[in-house]
Amino acid sequence: MTHRYLILDGEIGGTGLRDQFEGFIQIDDVPISSLLKLEIILWLENYHKNFYNKIKIEIEVIPELDFKGIEIMNKIQNELGHEYKIRYYSDIKCKELKALENGQILVI
């Protein structure tokens, strides 16, 4: 079985989703619900507003953006199933992250 590897990523100029091997892809090209597509778009707008458009980042916003990104990553994985492998990359921390069951964020 071949997998498609996608990364949820808040990079400026990006679409919010990128193929690990091909770069950013259009959200509409991914077979997920319209509601989840909207959630990605809103998260991306919030990410840009709170990260790229500020001279000084409010430190308390960083975990909120990352937790929301990880939550969306899990929703994407649930909708797409096992043929896709979904990861989350925090542009703020410049690292791939995942959530632990106790609510902590783990840097990969």
Side-chain angles (χ1 to χ4, degrees):
M1 175 197 299
T2 59
H3 293 98
R4 185 162 185 197
Y5 296 87
L6 301 180
I7 300 165
L8 181 68
D9 184 338
E11 183 178 326
I12 195 156
T15 62
L17 279 176
R18 61 184 161 98
D19 182 286
Q20 181 175 344
F21 304 107
E22 298 176 16
F24 283 103
I25 57 176
Q26 295 303 313
I27 294 174
D28 284 337
D29 293 341
V30 181
I32 54 176
S33 67
S34 296
L35 188 60
L36 187 50
K37 289 175 184 179
L38 178 60
E39 192 170 353
I40 294 168
I41 292 166
L42 294 175
W43 169 80
L44 189 61
E45 288 173 356
N46 192 37
Y47 202 99
H48 292 172
K49 180 180 82 175
N50 284 291
F51 179 48
Y52 292 112
N53 296 336
K54 292 207 172 185
I55 294 171
K56 183 178 178 185
I57 300 170
E58 297 170 24
I59 196 78
E60 65 275 1
V61 173
I62 295 171
E64 293 173 17
L65 292 170
D66 285 335
F67 274 116
K68 185 64 177 175
I70 291 167
E71 178 184 286
I72 293 170
M73 173 197 70
N74 290 328
K75 289 179 180 181
I76 295 169
Q77 183 67 69
N78 288 337
E79 284 196 18
L80 292 177
H82 298 294
E83 291 182 19
Y84 288 78
K85 300 295 181 189
I86 313 299
R87 300 185 344 229
Y88 172 71
Y89 183 82
S90 171
D91 282 88
I92 295 172
K93 294 179 181 170
C94 297
K95 296 179 180 175
E96 189 176 322
L97 305 176
K98 72 176 186 177
L100 299 176
E101 289 182 19
N102 64 4
Q104 300 295 315
I105 294 178
L106 175 67
V107 176
I108 298 177

